Amino acid sequence: MGLLTETNAQYYSGQQSFTIIDNGSGGSQTVFDVTFDTPLISAFDINGNRIAGNSNYTIYIINPSQGTPTALPETWSYISGPNGSQVTCPPLSVSGVTAGQILIQLQTYAVQDNYGSYEYITLNDVIDNFLVGYVGPDNIIPSVDRSKVLFYAKRGLQEFSYDTLKSVKSQELNIPPSLSLPIPQDYVNYVKLAWIDQGGVERIIYPTTLTSNPQSLPLQDNSGIPLQDMYGENIDASQSIEETRWASQHWDWTSNWQSYPWGDYWGYYPSLNWYGRMYGLSPQTAQKNGWFTINERTGTFSFSSDLAGILINLHYISDGLAVDADTKIPKMIEEAMYMHIAYSILALRRGIPEYIIQRFKKDRSSTLRNAKIRLQNIKLEEFTQVMRGKSKWIKH
């Protein structure tokens, strides 16, 4: 389990200070033990070689005679100790300070990354806790390799991410003139896409069935036969004609709703009065927030031309395993993770009675159901506010 090591002041400010009594020139290094919950990242290693883009902290020396802090260069320190718990510096006497204070200040983004982190537990902590609490001579699982626990923990995190865990992944993006945005690196499935109006309100963008994106673009001869290269592979065109025509279609929803390009939906006679001619309207296309498609060929989201230059918010599901830093789990599903790992191990182990396997299967199912209920985060006041509108009569 993670320990509360920071004080409230350190949590909010991202600062820790240390008193320097005497750090004479004879010392070779100065080591400070830090207790930030946020892992410290150094841009340089012990030899002064760059190993990261930037350090997520800055070290300041406060000279008591001057009272003003002086920032040390990034190359003067590196991170050591378990989980980056120590900052190692050269003798601070080289800066002319032998007494006073040293201040470690997290960068602003590092402090913000720390906010709310207590609601999560890392994947490594889940594995360690499982080995301590569920594995041993007196337990049903007497021994198991850590690599197997890691495998089942990752598989459990993937499965829970698809339908149990709340989607916390989102990106605020601007749609370029190309009307295409690359699919995020850790993308599994989208939750919703919405463009942001001037009031900051999200307007949902819907997927369209009016067009699609071809998977391949083979060139053809006059007989319609695909052209092939010397290796027998089809020669593809550089651009889809269908996508080009869709992107060149002009949309103007905001200034004139009558500019809907398909008269088939709202009437065949644009010269007549359009009002009252919406009989037979297709609800699927009766919206003005624009459309998007997922282009599997190029690995991008493609948008209709009325969304060019618009700010959007992309909400999507990730399996949480794209990079190590993402492998964090809400504490509300911690028990469900343990039951999933235990059931997965016992179900494939020889000599385990079937009733034991079924018991752990039921435990996994019940803890997963509890986790879903917890993560729904239903509040009585919010639920009551929504239900107030249910008393209205809806005329069909």
Side-chain angles (χ1 to χ4, degrees):
M1 298 290 183
L3 298 177
L4 281 176
T5 54
E6 294 175 319
T7 64
N8 283 335
Q10 293 168 350
Y11 175 79
Y12 292 116
S13 65
Q15 294 181 357
Q16 288 189 19
S17 59
F18 305 86
T19 300
I20 306 170
I21 300 176
D22 186 2
N23 194 82
S25 58
S28 59
Q29 289 180 334
T30 303
V31 180
F32 298 97
D33 293 324
V34 294
T35 57
F36 285 123
D37 288 341
T38 301
L40 297 182
I41 300 174
S42 175
F44 297 88
D45 60 13
I46 187 174
N47 299 316
N49 300 318
R50 182 176 288 275
I51 57 176
N54 295 101
S55 301
N56 68 346
Y57 66 93
T58 303
I59 295 181
Y60 293 91
I61 299 296
I62 303 177
N63 192 323
S65 62
Q66 298 176 351
T68 56
T70 302
L72 296 181
E74 281 187 312
T75 55
W76 279 30
S77 65
Y78 66 93
I79 301 303
S80 59
N83 298 322
S85 60
Q86 293 179 338
V87 176
T88 302
C89 306
L92 298 180
S93 58
V94 299
S95 64
V97 178
T98 57
Q101 281 191 323
I102 182 172
L103 177 68
I104 299 178
Q105 171 68 64
L106 292 178
Q107 302 291 349
T108 301
Y109 67 87
V111 177
Q112 293 173 346
D113 288 343
N114 195 31
Y115 293 162
S117 61
Y118 191 68
E119 66 178 293
Y120 296 98
I121 184 173
T122 65
L123 190 64
N124 282 331
D125 285 341
V126 169
I127 296 171
D128 292 339
N129 295 342
F130 180 84
L131 292 173
V132 171
Y134 292 84
V135 180
D138 297 329
N139 295 324
I140 296 179
I141 305 175
S143 63
V144 65
D145 294 337
R146 183 182 175 87
S147 59
K148 287 188 177 181
V149 178
L150 175 62
F151 170 76
Y152 291 124
K154 286 188 173 182
R155 284 295 301 128
L157 182 58
Q158 284 180 298
E159 291 298 326
F160 292 174
S161 295
Y162 299 146
D163 60 1
T164 302
L165 295 180
K166 60 182 179 181
S167 177
V168 296
K169 289 282 189 175
S170 61
Q171 293 184 0
E172 187 177 272
L173 304 166
N174 277 293
I175 300 179
S178 62
L179 302 177
S180 295
L181 288 173
I183 294 176
Q185 179 250 351
D186 56 344
Y187 170 90
V188 174
N189 195 5
Y190 75 89
V191 176
K192 70 173 181 178
L193 283 79
W195 64 272
I196 315 301
D197 64 16
Q198 295 300 318
V201 178
E202 291 189 351
R203 311 284 184 170
I204 296 180
I205 308 171
Y206 294 95
T208 183
T209 56
L210 298 172
T211 189
S212 62
N213 305 103
Q215 288 281 356
S216 60
L217 309 172
L219 296 175
Q220 299 170 279
D221 60 16
N222 293 332
S223 300
I225 299 175
L227 299 177
Q228 296 183 330
D229 56 20
M230 59 184 298
Y231 303 104
E233 300 292 337
N234 288 343
I235 302 175
D236 289 339
S238 59
Q239 181 62 44
S240 165
I241 298 177
E242 180 180 8
E243 293 171 3
T244 301
R245 291 178 179 177
W246 174 259
S248 62
Q249 176 65 55
H250 176 67
W251 313 93
D252 186 12
W253 298 112
T254 56
S255 62
N256 184 6
W257 66 272
Q258 295 181 5
S259 62
Y260 192 84
W262 292 282
D264 295 344
Y265 289 92
W266 285 357
Y268 286 97
Y269 308 100
S271 60
L272 300 178
N273 184 2
W274 285 73
Y275 295 100
R277 296 189 57 81
M278 294 186 183
Y279 180 79
L281 176 69
S282 173
Q284 186 178 7
T285 55
Q287 56 92 20
K288 60 178 183 179
N289 290 338
W291 289 287
F292 77 91
T293 60
I294 299 178
N295 194 330
E296 301 289 351
R297 187 185 76 257
T298 59
T300 58
F301 290 101
S302 298
F303 299 90
S304 52
S305 60
D306 57 320
L307 295 174
I310 295 294
L311 180 68
I312 70 164
N313 199 341
L314 166 62
H315 302 259
Y316 65 96
I317 296 174
S318 172
D319 62 4
L321 298 176
V323 292
D324 291 339
D326 279 349
T327 53
K328 59 182 183 179
I329 303 164
K331 291 182 178 179
M332 289 186 175
I333 72 160
E334 187 176 350
E335 185 65 21
M337 285 290 296
Y338 297 145
M339 289 298 99
H340 172 82
I341 297 171
Y343 167 72
S344 300
I345 294 173
L346 293 172
L348 297 178
R349 180 164 288 190
R350 291 186 302 174
I352 302 297
E354 184 63 24
Y355 73 90
I356 295 293
I357 297 176
Q358 291 302 317
R359 191 188 85 186
F360 274 85
K361 183 177 182 180
K362 291 181 179 179
D363 288 344
R364 178 190 181 276
S365 178
S366 62
T367 54
L368 181 58
R369 182 172 61 252
N370 289 340
K372 289 181 178 181
I373 295 174
R374 292 169 181 171
L375 291 176
Q376 285 177 353
N377 201 25
I378 298 175
K379 302 294 189 294
L380 180 60
E381 293 82 1
E382 299 173 6
F383 183 76
T384 304
Q385 182 67 16
V386 173
M387 293 302 295
R388 286 192 176 104
K390 302 302 180 182
S391 60
K392 299 177 181 178
W393 287 21
I394 301 177
K395 298 180 180 179
H396 297 280

